[in-house]
Structures are given as structure tokens and as C-alpha cells.
Amino acid sequence: MHYFEDILIVLAFSLPAYFFWRWLYSKFINNSHKRQATIWVSTILITPLLYWGAIMLLLFYMCYYPTSNFDKREWFANKDMRYRMTANIIESKMLIGKTKAEVNAILGKQENISGGDKRYYYLGFLPGFAMDADELYIQFNNDKVIKVAQIHG
């Protein structure tokens, strides 16, 4: 079923490669038989690399997201993009040592109810292939934050 699509993908990468090598080698190789063989070998060798490179660029594009510093207004305004601020929250250790009341003042009340000394805040879906939304996990001990982490919901 996918045979025709596979041929089109290979052609999409191999035709430009072929014409590039043909243009390049026409300037350096005078013998037409040698030039033609070199063009075909170069095309056959480079096409899988072009295909692999295109897939890697696509995956990078799909999984990349910029990070930003914590902004309280943005945190409350755009819940689906909170994941962008998570690295800053964790790395700056801005919540470590804070009380539950102080965390409420900064992040608001937790959306995902958990008993006791744990809190979870919805972060949205990270770009890529995630099936579940991520959450900011906060652990307390004696009413003080001792751990902050990003987890998959």
C-alpha cells in the first residue's frame, strides 16, 4: 500500500541530489562515463543521508519548545503553556523552603487534589509525542517545600 508513497519520497530526495552532483561534477570531471558513474554513486550514497537528516529535523521541530522565566501572569493566563516555565521554577529553586500558603500565593491553588504533603499543578502537553499532560510535582515536609519536579501525568 505504501509502496507508491515510498517511491515518491525517495524521488523527492534523490532527484535534487542527482542534479546537484551532475552540476558539480560537470565542472571537474571531463570523462562523461566516469562523471556519470560518479554522479550515480554520489546520489545513491547521499539520498539516505538526506532522508535521515530530514526526519531528524522534523523530530527536532516537533519536540522543541522554548523555555522562559517564571511569569506569574503568564502562569495563570495560559495554563497549557506552563511547561515552558518549569525548568526555571525547578533550576532557580524558587519554591524550595516555601510554605504551602506561599506556594498558593505564587502558583495558585493546586488543580489536581492530592492529600497530605504533595501538590500537582497542570503544565499542559509538551510538544512531541506525549500522551499525557505533564505536571509540576511539589513535595512538602513540615509545611516546607523540599522537592520540585516535572512529571508525566
Side-chain angles (χ1 to χ4, degrees):
M1 289 293 227
H2 299 286
Y3 182 70
F4 183 70
E5 294 167 354
D6 293 340
I7 290 172
L8 288 178
I9 291 171
V10 169
L11 284 175
F13 287 101
S14 62
L15 285 176
Y18 173 82
F19 286 111
F20 170 76
W21 294 124
R22 192 173 105 177
W23 169 79
L24 183 67
Y25 292 141
S26 69
K27 297 179 181 299
F28 300 107
I29 302 173
N30 294 328
N31 183 327
S32 66
H33 292 297
K34 185 177 179 183
R35 182 175 58 238
Q36 197 62 27
T38 307
I39 291 168
W40 279 108
V41 168
S42 298
T43 301
I44 290 168
L45 291 176
I46 201 69
T47 299
L49 295 175
L50 292 172
Y51 183 68
W52 181 81
I55 289 172
M56 290 297 108
L57 282 174
L58 180 65
L59 289 174
F60 176 76
Y61 175 75
M62 290 175 64
C63 296
Y64 172 77
Y65 64 91
T67 59
S68 63
N69 290 334
F70 178 76
D71 180 344
K72 190 173 182 176
R73 286 183 297 174
E74 183 68 23
W75 178 265
F76 288 105
N78 198 352
K79 290 183 178 186
D80 289 327
M81 297 295 201
R82 287 177 174 176
Y83 62 84
R84 292 181 176 188
M85 294 180 262
T86 307
N88 178 251
I89 292 170
I90 295 169
E91 291 169 8
S92 71
K93 299 183 181 190
M94 63 183 270
L95 299 177
I96 300 296
K98 301 266 193 250
T99 65
K100 291 177 183 176
E102 291 171 323
V103 171
N104 281 349
I106 296 169
L107 302 179
K109 292 191 178 194
Q110 69 180 358
E111 292 96 9
N112 297 340
I113 303 302
S114 171
D117 290 337
K118 298 176 185 171
R119 291 199 180 172
Y120 300 91
Y121 289 89
Y122 173 79
L123 298 175
F125 290 88
L126 271 72
F129 305 103
M131 297 299 285
D132 296 322
D134 277 20
E135 295 177 318
L136 184 67
Y137 166 75
I138 302 173
Q139 183 177 351
F140 293 88
N141 187 13
N142 295 325
D143 196 42
K144 300 278 186 188
V145 176
I146 60 168
K147 181 178 180 180
V148 180
Q150 183 173 342
I151 61 171
H152 300 289

